[in-house]
Amino acid sequence: MAALTPNADARPLRLALRADGLACACAGLVLLFGAPVLPGLLGLPLALVLSAGAFLVPFAAVLWLLAARPAPGSRETVPVVVLNALWIAGSAAVVLVAAPTAFGAAFVLAQALAVAGITVVEERALRTVAREAV
C-alpha cells in the first residue's frame, strides 16, 4: 500500500479505529470487572477472561492513539487488521476447544462477528485512503 499523505481523507479510517477502540475498551472493562461472575456464566476459564480483558484495554488505548493521528498509515493500521483477524480466529478456537456454555458460545461468537464487521470497515477505509494517497 502507498504511503499516506495529509491530503488523503483519513476520517473514515480514524472513525473506524475509534469505534474499534471504544468497543475494545468496553469489552475489556466488562471482562476485567466481570471476572468474578463471567467464568461461571460463560463456561470459560478465569485466566482466559482476565487475559482477554488485560489485552483489550491497552489495545484500545493504542487504537485511540492511532485514530488521533491526522493520517494513520498502513504501517500502523495493517497490524490492527491482522490482530483483529487473529482475534476472530482465536474466538472460533475458544468455542471449539474450551467448551463454553451455550450463552458463552453465543457471547464469544457475537463479539467475533462484531470484530469482523469493524475489521472489514477498517480494511476498506485503509484501502480508500491508500488509493487517494497515490
Side-chain angles (χ1 to χ4, degrees):
M1 292 190 175
L4 303 183
T5 66
N7 296 335
D9 184 7
R11 287 178 298 204
L13 178 57
R14 290 194 330 266
L15 183 60
L17 290 168
R18 281 190 196 111
D20 196 357
L22 181 61
C24 286
C26 290
L29 291 172
V30 165
L31 291 171
L32 290 173
F33 287 107
V37 295
L38 285 176
L41 205 65
L42 302 175
L44 297 173
L46 175 63
L48 178 63
V49 171
L50 287 173
S51 55
F55 169 78
L56 287 172
V57 172
F59 187 58
V62 169
L63 292 169
W64 273 89
L65 289 172
L66 285 176
R69 302 182 88 181
S74 58
R75 185 181 59 189
E76 300 92 358
T77 309
V78 168
V80 170
V81 172
V82 170
L83 283 171
N84 282 349
L86 290 172
W87 183 272
I88 296 162
S91 296
V94 163
V95 170
L96 294 173
V97 175
T101 64
F103 177 72
F107 177 85
V108 172
L109 293 175
Q111 64 78 36
L113 284 172
V115 173
I118 194 67
T119 303
V120 167
V121 171
E122 287 169 339
E123 192 273 335
R124 287 184 179 166
L126 179 59
R127 283 182 188 262
T128 299
V129 172
R131 193 171 33 249
E132 290 175 4
V134 176

